[in-house]
Amino acid sequence: MTDVMTNIRIVEVYSDVAGHKKGASLGIDALRASSQELNAEYYEKLQFDSIKDDSNKYDEDYEGESQFSHAKYADVIEPIISKLAHKIKDIREENKFPIVIAGDHSSCAGTMHGLKMAHPDAEIGVVYIDAHADFHSPYTSGSGNMHGMPLAMACAIDNLECQRNELSDAEKAYWERLKFMASDEPSIKPENIVFCAVRDYQEEEMELIKRHKIPLYSVAEITKKGISATVAEIFKKLEYCDHIYVSFDVDSVDPLYVPGTGTPAMNGLSYEQAMQLNIELIKNEKVCCWEIAEINPLYNNSKDDSTRIFKILEEVTHSLLNNY
């Protein structure tokens, strides 16, 4: 098994500037601490890379505001997403499987751009497990927080039909770079997305979901169908895709089980559902990348919260090792 584990690369993304609460970048080291406390030797057995915010402008003590209103900290976020995209490209070109452990969920735009760079002619599917749709653009976002925009970045969607904001020239320039980082076309087609557990969204995002007929499996529907049947339907929907990316935001889980996240939403998945959903998804041979994001230990009830999330990471990796 040790030889097989060289086929997996962990990429840690230490950034939380795209969220409205700090602390998500601390989740990465909280998982490391949980691994040590459990004597899991998870990190000793795997290769890993780290991507950090090198700007030094928005550290723990920084109290300033972004110069941008509708694409907050785009000048910091853009190079982080670019570095991640090129890292994912390199890992995939080595025919290895990237597991991304990220701070805020804006990172997944970089992951999707990287997959497009590595597989430019492929159909790439996305299974997006999240409480939120993350389909805003700077033109539609009420907050300007870019952790709510990664799918719009990857799909290169402005959603001007629902426009509420006028952007500065600088914001427009950064947004264009964030959309077309991999090529001069969108990295992901919206019709190649499947949502799971999304329940906290704005009307502008729902307009896109309806316009592109994106399947959305609610928590109630997942509970009624069961995990196995839900996963089978997801892969039937994405059967024409060559590669599939699974993105797991921990706020998809009900805060009763995992309170440690920056944007909790009630009526989420149970802990067992989240565990089983990710384990079953990772078994499919088309899945080429898995990401976990938005672990914020500042909002934990106890350190056991991070330990529960680490166990999902560990079990998903074990499932991957048995099937990759």
Side-chain angles (χ1 to χ4, degrees), residues 11-135:
V11 184
E12 299 170 313
V13 187
Y14 286 87
S15 178
D16 55 19
V17 71
H20 76 291
K21 293 179 181 175
K22 289 188 176 183
S25 62
L26 302 175
I28 298 163
D29 287 337
L31 293 180
R32 283 180 168 270
S34 294
S35 179
Q36 290 175 343
E37 287 166 12
L38 295 168
N39 295 316
E41 296 187 347
Y42 182 86
Y43 291 90
E44 288 75 15
K45 293 179 179 179
L46 291 162
Q47 297 175 298
F48 63 92
D49 298 284
S50 293
I51 292 173
K52 298 187 178 181
D53 173 3
D54 297 325
S55 69
N56 298 319
K57 290 167 69 177
Y58 307 110
D59 60 23
E60 299 267 336
D61 301 319
Y62 184 79
E63 298 296 336
E65 286 295 319
S66 172
Q67 62 179 304
F68 305 125
S69 299
H70 308 301
K72 290 180 178 175
Y73 306 111
D75 51 335
V76 180
I77 292 163
E78 190 265 342
I80 294 167
I81 287 178
S82 178
K83 282 188 282 187
L84 177 57
H86 286 90
K87 179 59 66 177
I88 296 298
K89 173 183 180 287
D90 292 345
I91 293 170
R92 287 302 300 159
E93 287 181 344
E94 293 173 13
N95 200 31
K96 294 183 178 181
F97 190 106
I99 291 178
V100 182
I101 305 174
D104 71 68
H105 211 182
S106 69
S107 63
C108 73
T111 304
M112 289 183 277
H113 285 319
L115 292 173
K116 174 69 171 178
M117 291 174 180
H119 309 289
D121 300 319
E123 288 284 349
I124 299 170
V126 176
V127 182
Y128 208 77
I129 310 167
D130 198 318
H132 309 90
D134 292 350
F135 233 146

Side-chain angles (χ1 to χ4, degrees), residues 46-246:
L46 291 162
Q47 297 175 298
F48 63 92
D49 298 284
S50 293
I51 292 173
K52 298 187 178 181
D53 173 3
D54 297 325
S55 69
N56 298 319
K57 290 167 69 177
Y58 307 110
D59 60 23
E60 299 267 336
D61 301 319
Y62 184 79
E63 298 296 336
E65 286 295 319
S66 172
Q67 62 179 304
F68 305 125
S69 299
H70 308 301
K72 290 180 178 175
Y73 306 111
D75 51 335
V76 180
I77 292 163
E78 190 265 342
I80 294 167
I81 287 178
S82 178
K83 282 188 282 187
L84 177 57
H86 286 90
K87 179 59 66 177
I88 296 298
K89 173 183 180 287
D90 292 345
I91 293 170
R92 287 302 300 159
E93 287 181 344
E94 293 173 13
N95 200 31
K96 294 183 178 181
F97 190 106
I99 291 178
V100 182
I101 305 174
D104 71 68
H105 211 182
S106 69
S107 63
C108 73
T111 304
M112 289 183 277
H113 285 319
L115 292 173
K116 174 69 171 178
M117 291 174 180
H119 309 289
D121 300 319
E123 288 284 349
I124 299 170
V126 176
V127 182
Y128 208 77
I129 310 167
D130 198 318
H132 309 90
D134 292 350
F135 233 146
H136 272 297
S137 80
Y139 294 98
T140 66
S141 174
S143 69
N145 295 321
M146 299 198 81
H147 70 162
M149 305 184 192
L151 281 175
M153 293 180 204
C155 295
I157 287 178
D158 297 333
N159 196 13
L160 296 180
E161 294 87 344
C162 299
Q163 182 175 357
R164 66 159 84 178
N165 304 318
E166 291 294 334
L167 273 55
S168 68
D169 289 343
E171 283 177 312
K172 287 180 182 178
Y174 274 112
W175 181 241
E176 290 303 305
R177 287 206 291 274
L178 284 163
K179 287 189 299 182
F180 299 108
M181 192 170 284
S183 68
D184 58 1
E185 61 183 28
S187 291
I188 299 294
K189 297 175 183 175
E191 57 267 28
N192 290 4
I193 299 169
V194 176
F195 282 120
C196 291
V198 170
R199 56 198 182 276
D200 185 4
Y201 48 79
Q202 282 74 53
E203 60 183 85
E204 297 92 343
E205 295 174 300
M206 185 48 67
E207 281 291 320
L208 286 176
I209 291 169
K210 290 178 179 177
R211 191 183 309 156
H212 296 285
K213 298 181 173 62
I214 300 173
L216 195 164
Y217 288 87
S218 67
V219 174
E221 189 173 359
I222 292 169
T223 301
K224 182 178 179 180
K225 289 180 184 291
I227 298 298
S228 295
T230 301
V231 169
E233 280 191 19
I234 289 170
F235 287 126
K236 180 69 175 173
K237 153 69 180 157
L238 299 176
E239 65 181 351
Y240 60 90
C241 291
D242 304 295
H243 304 287
I244 295 172
Y245 157 61
V246 178

